[in-house]
Amino acid sequence: MVFIHIVLLPVRSGVQAGLVNNVVTKLNDLVNCIPFVVRSSCGRTVTERGKQYTHALVVELERADQLSLYANHPAHQAVLPLIKEIIGEDALAMDFDTNA
């Protein structure tokens, strides 16, 4: 059983692809930086159903009580300013426990 953290990112149009790719790479690498992250997957949507949200991040944690540890982990904190550089409005986040 895992705890799921989902973030939808509305990347601004006109942002250089290299900046976006750097953020995606760093988000995908969180699994290698934070011991209790089971999986970290980030990518661009391939449909138009996401409305203004162009990218999604799905992070699987071992347990629900690790969400605050994840949020405050240096690897997560390091990528937050980079995310803020590329998004045009607030990201949308949802969290749920697969045990519930």
Side-chain angles (χ1 to χ4, degrees), residues 50-96:
K51 310 258 184 214
Q52 74 269 28
Y53 299 101
T54 59
H55 291 71
L57 168 68
V58 178
V59 176
E60 296 180 16
L61 305 175
E62 294 171 348
R63 300 183 317 272
D65 63 346
Q66 295 170 326
L67 183 60
S68 63
L69 296 172
Y70 166 80
N72 293 308
H73 192 280
H76 178 257
Q77 288 293 312
V79 75
L80 289 179
L82 302 175
I83 292 170
K84 290 178 181 174
E85 282 183 38
I86 66 169
I87 62 174
E89 57 188 83
D90 289 340
L92 178 64
M94 297 182 73
D95 308 289
F96 63 94

Side-chain angles (χ1 to χ4, degrees), residues 1-12:
M1 300 301 182
V2 295
F3 185 81
I4 307 293
H5 171 63
I6 301 171
V7 181
L8 301 179
L9 301 169
V11 174
R12 286 184 287 109

Side-chain angles (χ1 to χ4, degrees), residues 26-68:
K26 289 184 181 304
L27 291 171
N28 282 325
D29 195 45
L30 290 176
V31 67
N32 299 314
C33 302
I34 304 175
F36 49 86
V37 170
V38 176
R39 183 175 303 153
S40 180
S41 302
C42 182
R44 181 176 179 79
T45 185
V46 296
T47 70
E48 298 298 319
R49 299 183 325 166
K51 310 258 184 214
Q52 74 269 28
Y53 299 101
T54 59
H55 291 71
L57 168 68
V58 178
V59 176
E60 296 180 16
L61 305 175
E62 294 171 348
R63 300 183 317 272
D65 63 346
Q66 295 170 326
L67 183 60
S68 63

